[in-house]
Amino acid sequence: MEQPKFKRVILKLSGEALAGNAGYGIESDVMTSIAYQIKEVIELGVEVAVVVGGGNIWRGIAGSEQGIDRATADYMGMLATVMNSLALQDALENIKVPTRVQTSIEMKQIAEPYIRRKAIRHLEKGRVVIFASGTGNPYFSTDTTAALRAAEIEAEVILMAKNKVDGVYSADPFKDKTAEKYDTLTYMEVLNQNLGVMDSTASSLCMDNNIPLIIFSITENGNIKRVVLGEKIGTIVKRKGSAE
Ligand code: GTP
């Protein structure tokens, strides 16, 4: 049997990844493809927790630029992540993958509240745990949520699935033809060069807690499994001096 490189992972899905080419809302084909990709990884015996963004529905920063109070706009974004999480739960359960959604902001009629030890228990039982509503705090991104939850549940890596790019580039690959893809980077390089992989809060949290990050494209079927099996696709970001 194929040997996965990791036992417990956090998959970070950006909201945009769920929108597919439409760029807005949830594209059911994309959702189904992601669900199958997660299923393949569960079948390898890997424990998978997912943090979903909300940018396909609402972006806190964009809202605040339109004059909505920043904290309020961020709470609206957190609610968007709950919608995405429920849609992902539905797509996974349609293909017989057991799941639990946990929210950082209590909404018990809709999902369980986030309880760290319970989340770990669900993972041990082979359930996909979907962390919804970010950290529950405004001013924190869902990338920071992924970093925080990864530290809390002792995930070995954050798998950051993208739908537009297949790794981290030296410049915007859509605008600059000379942009080169990095195979590996350190968090310090990401922070110093302002590479825009994650916001600086998330990068710092990963760096301080020695949590590696792999950025890759989710548009090709089977890529999550490839990454989990240790295939070198995308870009790996780690702390300087840490083993891969
Ligand atoms: P174990 O019994 O420990 O294996 O876990 P379990 O999740 O199956 O047990 P539990 O009885 O806690 O949950 C049964 C179902 O109710 C699951 O689908 C949970 O997601 C759901 N559930 C548990 N707590 C809550 C809650 O506070 N709100 C909502 N909406 N659902 C919940």
Side-chain angles (χ1 to χ4, degrees):
M1 190 176 137
E2 296 160 302
Q3 271 309 316
K5 193 173 168 193
F6 310 107
K7 178 141 183 25
R8 181 176 293 162
V9 302
I10 289 250
L11 175 66
K12 166 71 210 311
L13 292 173
S14 67
E16 284 98 339
L18 310 180
N21 293 329
Y24 183 83
I26 298 168
E27 179 124 40
S28 66
D29 289 352
V30 173
M31 197 56 115
T32 306
S33 144
I34 293 173
Y36 273 107
Q37 291 200 54
I38 294 173
K39 186 177 190 174
E40 283 184 328
V41 176
I42 289 286
E43 285 169 350
L44 291 172
V46 178
E47 296 174 10
V48 182
V50 187
V51 171
V52 196
N56 53 324
I57 298 169
W58 179 260
R59 279 200 166 281
I61 290 179
S64 76
E65 280 163 6
Q66 288 168 37
I68 297 179
D69 170 70
R70 170 70 197 268
T72 303
D74 280 353
Y75 280 120
M76 292 166 72
M78 289 179 230
L79 294 176
T81 72
V82 177
M83 290 195 224
N84 285 335
S85 297
L86 294 177
L88 179 63
Q89 173 171 51
D90 186 73
L92 284 164
E93 298 214 325
N94 274 338
I95 57 169
K96 309 271 179 287
V97 178
T99 65
R100 295 288 185 269
V101 174
Q102 293 196 341
T103 59
S104 308
I105 298 172
E106 269 197 26
M107 41 185 98
K108 280 192 162 186
Q109 285 79 359
I110 295 174
E112 294 176 26
Y114 171 63
I115 299 169
R116 177 181 159 267
R117 291 173 67 106
K118 205 161 175 179
I120 292 172
R121 202 71 197 103
H122 289 321
L123 291 169
E124 288 168 350
K125 289 184 176 177
R127 298 164 182 156
V128 173
V129 179
I130 306 168
F131 295 125
S133 69
T135 65
N137 301 289
Y139 297 96
F140 287 91
S141 66
T142 48
D143 286 349
T144 302
T145 311
L148 176 64
R149 296 288 181 251
E152 286 184 279
I153 66 164
E154 296 178 13
E156 290 147 278
V157 66
I158 299 173
L159 309 179
M160 187 173 266
K162 297 279 185 189
N163 69 332
K164 291 198 189 105
V165 287
D166 58 356
V168 183
Y169 285 78
S170 54
D172 183 343
F174 298 104
K175 291 184 187 148
D176 185 345
K177 292 251 177 300
T178 64
E180 281 180 40
K181 190 171 120 189
Y182 296 108
D183 292 331
T184 58
L185 282 167
T186 64
Y187 281 110
M188 215 29 118
E189 286 168 331
V190 167
L191 287 163
N192 287 341
Q193 295 171 38
N194 204 10
L195 288 173
V197 176
M198 289 174 135
D199 56 276
S200 57
T201 313
S203 296
S204 303
L205 201 53
C206 287
M207 181 171 71
D208 293 350
N209 293 288
N210 202 10
I211 303 164
L213 170 75
I214 304 177
I215 298 109
F216 65 102
S217 164
I218 203 172
T219 51
E220 198 175 320
N221 273 330
N223 264 1
I224 306 179
K225 183 175 174 183
R226 284 187 194 100
V227 172
V228 164
L229 288 174
E231 221 179 281
K232 299 218 177 321
I233 57 173
T235 302
I236 300 174
V237 185
K238 36 187 194 169
R239 188 159 76 175
K240 193 172 178 208
S242 73
E244 200 178 289

